[in-house]
Amino acid sequence: QRRLGRLAVDLGASLVLGHHPHVLQGFEVYRGGLIAYSLGNFAFGSYSTRAKDSVILLVECDRSGPRTAWLHPVNVYNREVAFQTRLRTGSDAARVLADIQRYSNPFGLVLRHEGDRGLITIRP
């Protein structure tokens, strides 16, 4: 995944969105682009305890590409939300953002917490 995500940016992509493993994984800022290795599920017919968390990703761009990304943690655990994805707040949101930071540490990413959402600065 790391090789393919970086290759996509090297070949001109500025945003790479992964999904295949159905679980939330790390983020990386690479050469002015953002790689989301897996956003997890959003609305998927699973009751897996491994697939409880996801994020809504909002990327702000200008003519030069992505500048910032906002991560809004959501609950996708169908035993709790019955296929109605819900925003996480408070300590639930903080836990998901801490998990994302841990998953992203190998990429040197710094995720800033702003209330119940996370902020990634791609370009100042």
Short mmCIF file of all heavy atoms in Angstrom, two decimals, residues 10-36:
data_model
loop_
_atom_site.label_atom_id
_atom_site.label_comp_id
_atom_site.label_asym_id
_atom_site.label_seq_id
_atom_site.Cartn_x
_atom_site.Cartn_y
_atom_site.Cartn_z
N ASP A 10 3.60 10.29 -6.93
CA ASP A 10 4.75 10.55 -7.81
C ASP A 10 4.30 10.72 -9.26
O ASP A 10 4.92 11.46 -10.02
CB ASP A 10 5.77 9.40 -7.73
CG ASP A 10 6.53 9.37 -6.42
OD1 ASP A 10 6.55 10.41 -5.69
OD2 ASP A 10 7.09 8.30 -6.09
N LEU A 11 3.21 10.06 -9.64
CA LEU A 11 2.71 10.13 -11.01
C LEU A 11 1.68 11.24 -11.22
O LEU A 11 1.11 11.36 -12.30
CB LEU A 11 2.12 8.78 -11.43
CG LEU A 11 3.14 7.65 -11.55
CD1 LEU A 11 2.46 6.32 -11.81
CD2 LEU A 11 4.16 7.97 -12.64
N GLY A 12 1.44 12.06 -10.17
CA GLY A 12 0.61 13.24 -10.36
C GLY A 12 -0.65 13.33 -9.52
O GLY A 12 -1.31 14.37 -9.51
N ALA A 13 -1.02 12.28 -8.81
CA ALA A 13 -2.21 12.36 -7.95
C ALA A 13 -1.90 13.26 -6.76
O ALA A 13 -0.78 13.29 -6.26
CB ALA A 13 -2.61 10.97 -7.46
N SER A 14 -2.89 14.00 -6.30
CA SER A 14 -2.69 14.80 -5.10
C SER A 14 -3.50 14.27 -3.92
O SER A 14 -3.32 14.69 -2.79
CB SER A 14 -3.04 16.27 -5.36
OG SER A 14 -4.32 16.39 -5.89
N LEU A 15 -4.39 13.31 -4.20
CA LEU A 15 -5.21 12.70 -3.17
C LEU A 15 -5.40 11.23 -3.50
O LEU A 15 -5.86 10.89 -4.60
CB LEU A 15 -6.57 13.41 -3.10
CG LEU A 15 -7.53 13.01 -2.00
CD1 LEU A 15 -6.92 13.23 -0.63
CD2 LEU A 15 -8.81 13.84 -2.13
N VAL A 16 -5.02 10.36 -2.57
CA VAL A 16 -5.15 8.92 -2.74
C VAL A 16 -6.02 8.40 -1.60
O VAL A 16 -5.67 8.57 -0.43
CB VAL A 16 -3.77 8.21 -2.74
CG1 VAL A 16 -3.94 6.70 -2.89
CG2 VAL A 16 -2.87 8.77 -3.82
N LEU A 17 -7.16 7.80 -1.94
CA LEU A 17 -8.10 7.31 -0.94
C LEU A 17 -8.18 5.80 -0.98
O LEU A 17 -8.65 5.24 -1.97
CB LEU A 17 -9.50 7.91 -1.17
CG LEU A 17 -9.56 9.43 -1.20
CD1 LEU A 17 -10.97 9.90 -1.54
CD2 LEU A 17 -9.10 10.01 0.12
N GLY A 18 -7.75 5.15 0.08
CA GLY A 18 -7.80 3.70 0.17
C GLY A 18 -9.03 3.25 0.92
O GLY A 18 -9.61 3.98 1.72
N HIS A 19 -9.43 2.00 0.66
CA HIS A 19 -10.61 1.46 1.31
C HIS A 19 -10.54 -0.05 1.54
O HIS A 19 -11.12 -0.55 2.48
CB HIS A 19 -11.86 1.78 0.49
CG HIS A 19 -13.05 0.94 0.87
ND1 HIS A 19 -13.72 1.12 2.05
CD2 HIS A 19 -13.64 -0.09 0.25
CE1 HIS A 19 -14.70 0.23 2.13
NE2 HIS A 19 -14.66 -0.52 1.05
N HIS A 20 -9.86 -0.78 0.73
CA HIS A 20 -10.01 -2.23 0.63
C HIS A 20 -10.10 -3.00 1.94
O HIS A 20 -10.96 -3.87 2.07
CB HIS A 20 -8.91 -2.82 -0.25
CG HIS A 20 -9.01 -4.30 -0.36
ND1 HIS A 20 -10.01 -4.92 -1.07
CD2 HIS A 20 -8.28 -5.28 0.20
CE1 HIS A 20 -9.88 -6.22 -0.96
NE2 HIS A 20 -8.83 -6.48 -0.20
N PRO A 21 -9.28 -2.75 2.97
CA PRO A 21 -9.35 -3.62 4.16
C PRO A 21 -10.58 -3.38 5.05
O PRO A 21 -10.77 -4.10 6.01
CB PRO A 21 -8.07 -3.30 4.92
CG PRO A 21 -7.67 -1.95 4.46
CD PRO A 21 -8.16 -1.82 3.05
N HIS A 22 -11.41 -2.40 4.73
CA HIS A 22 -12.64 -2.13 5.49
C HIS A 22 -12.39 -1.67 6.92
O HIS A 22 -13.31 -1.64 7.72
CB HIS A 22 -13.59 -3.34 5.50
CG HIS A 22 -14.07 -3.71 4.15
ND1 HIS A 22 -15.19 -3.15 3.57
CD2 HIS A 22 -13.58 -4.59 3.24
CE1 HIS A 22 -15.38 -3.68 2.37
NE2 HIS A 22 -14.41 -4.53 2.14
N VAL A 23 -11.17 -1.35 7.28
CA VAL A 23 -10.84 -0.83 8.60
C VAL A 23 -10.04 0.46 8.43
O VAL A 23 -9.32 0.63 7.45
CB VAL A 23 -10.05 -1.84 9.46
CG1 VAL A 23 -10.90 -3.05 9.80
CG2 VAL A 23 -8.75 -2.25 8.79
N LEU A 24 -10.17 1.33 9.40
CA LEU A 24 -9.46 2.60 9.38
C LEU A 24 -7.97 2.36 9.52
O LEU A 24 -7.53 1.57 10.35
CB LEU A 24 -9.98 3.45 10.54
CG LEU A 24 -9.70 4.93 10.55
CD1 LEU A 24 -10.16 5.59 9.26
CD2 LEU A 24 -10.38 5.56 11.75
N GLN A 25 -7.18 3.03 8.67
CA GLN A 25 -5.72 2.95 8.73
C GLN A 25 -5.15 4.36 8.74
O GLN A 25 -5.89 5.34 8.81
CB GLN A 25 -5.18 2.14 7.55
CG GLN A 25 -5.58 0.68 7.59
CD GLN A 25 -4.96 -0.13 6.47
OE1 GLN A 25 -4.57 0.39 5.44
NE2 GLN A 25 -4.89 -1.44 6.67
N GLY A 26 -3.84 4.47 8.62
CA GLY A 26 -3.15 5.75 8.75
C GLY A 26 -3.25 6.65 7.54
O GLY A 26 -3.70 6.26 6.46
N PHE A 27 -2.80 7.89 7.78
CA PHE A 27 -2.73 8.92 6.75
C PHE A 27 -1.29 9.36 6.61
O PHE A 27 -0.52 9.30 7.56
CB PHE A 27 -3.57 10.14 7.17
CG PHE A 27 -5.05 9.90 7.13
CD1 PHE A 27 -5.67 9.15 8.11
CD2 PHE A 27 -5.81 10.44 6.12
CE1 PHE A 27 -7.03 8.93 8.10
CE2 PHE A 27 -7.19 10.23 6.08
CZ PHE A 27 -7.80 9.48 7.07
N GLU A 28 -0.95 9.82 5.40
CA GLU A 28 0.41 10.30 5.15
C GLU A 28 0.34 11.52 4.24
O GLU A 28 -0.40 11.53 3.25
CB GLU A 28 1.24 9.21 4.47
CG GLU A 28 2.66 9.64 4.15
CD GLU A 28 3.51 8.55 3.52
OE1 GLU A 28 2.96 7.55 3.00
OE2 GLU A 28 4.75 8.70 3.55
N VAL A 29 1.12 12.55 4.60
CA VAL A 29 1.35 13.67 3.69
C VAL A 29 2.64 13.35 2.97
O VAL A 29 3.68 13.15 3.62
CB VAL A 29 1.44 15.01 4.45
CG1 VAL A 29 1.84 16.13 3.50
CG2 VAL A 29 0.12 15.31 5.14
N TYR A 30 2.56 13.27 1.64
CA TYR A 30 3.72 12.86 0.85
C TYR A 30 3.82 13.76 -0.37
O TYR A 30 2.88 13.82 -1.19
CB TYR A 30 3.56 11.39 0.44
CG TYR A 30 4.63 10.88 -0.50
CD1 TYR A 30 5.91 10.60 -0.04
CD2 TYR A 30 4.35 10.68 -1.84
CE1 TYR A 30 6.89 10.13 -0.90
CE2 TYR A 30 5.32 10.21 -2.71
CZ TYR A 30 6.59 9.94 -2.24
OH TYR A 30 7.56 9.48 -3.10
N ARG A 31 4.94 14.49 -0.49
CA ARG A 31 5.21 15.35 -1.64
C ARG A 31 4.02 16.23 -2.03
O ARG A 31 3.66 16.32 -3.20
CB ARG A 31 5.68 14.53 -2.83
CG ARG A 31 7.01 13.86 -2.59
CD ARG A 31 7.56 13.23 -3.83
NE ARG A 31 8.87 12.68 -3.55
CZ ARG A 31 9.59 12.04 -4.44
NH1 ARG A 31 9.15 11.86 -5.66
NH2 ARG A 31 10.77 11.57 -4.10
N GLY A 32 3.40 16.83 -1.03
CA GLY A 32 2.29 17.75 -1.28
C GLY A 32 0.96 17.07 -1.50
O GLY A 32 -0.05 17.73 -1.76
N GLY A 33 0.92 15.76 -1.40
CA GLY A 33 -0.33 15.03 -1.56
C GLY A 33 -0.73 14.38 -0.25
O GLY A 33 0.06 14.28 0.68
N LEU A 34 -1.97 13.93 -0.20
CA LEU A 34 -2.47 13.23 0.99
C LEU A 34 -2.84 11.82 0.60
O LEU A 34 -3.57 11.60 -0.38
CB LEU A 34 -3.71 13.94 1.55
CG LEU A 34 -4.34 13.27 2.78
CD1 LEU A 34 -3.38 13.32 3.97
CD2 LEU A 34 -5.67 13.91 3.12
N ILE A 35 -2.33 10.88 1.37
CA ILE A 35 -2.66 9.46 1.18
C ILE A 35 -3.43 9.00 2.40
O ILE A 35 -2.95 9.10 3.53
CB ILE A 35 -1.40 8.60 1.01
CG1 ILE A 35 -0.55 9.09 -0.16
CG2 ILE A 35 -1.78 7.12 0.82
CD1 ILE A 35 0.84 8.48 -0.24
N ALA A 36 -4.65 8.52 2.18
CA ALA A 36 -5.46 7.90 3.23
C ALA A 36 -5.40 6.41 2.94
O ALA A 36 -6.01 5.93 1.97
CB ALA A 36 -6.89 8.42 3.19
#
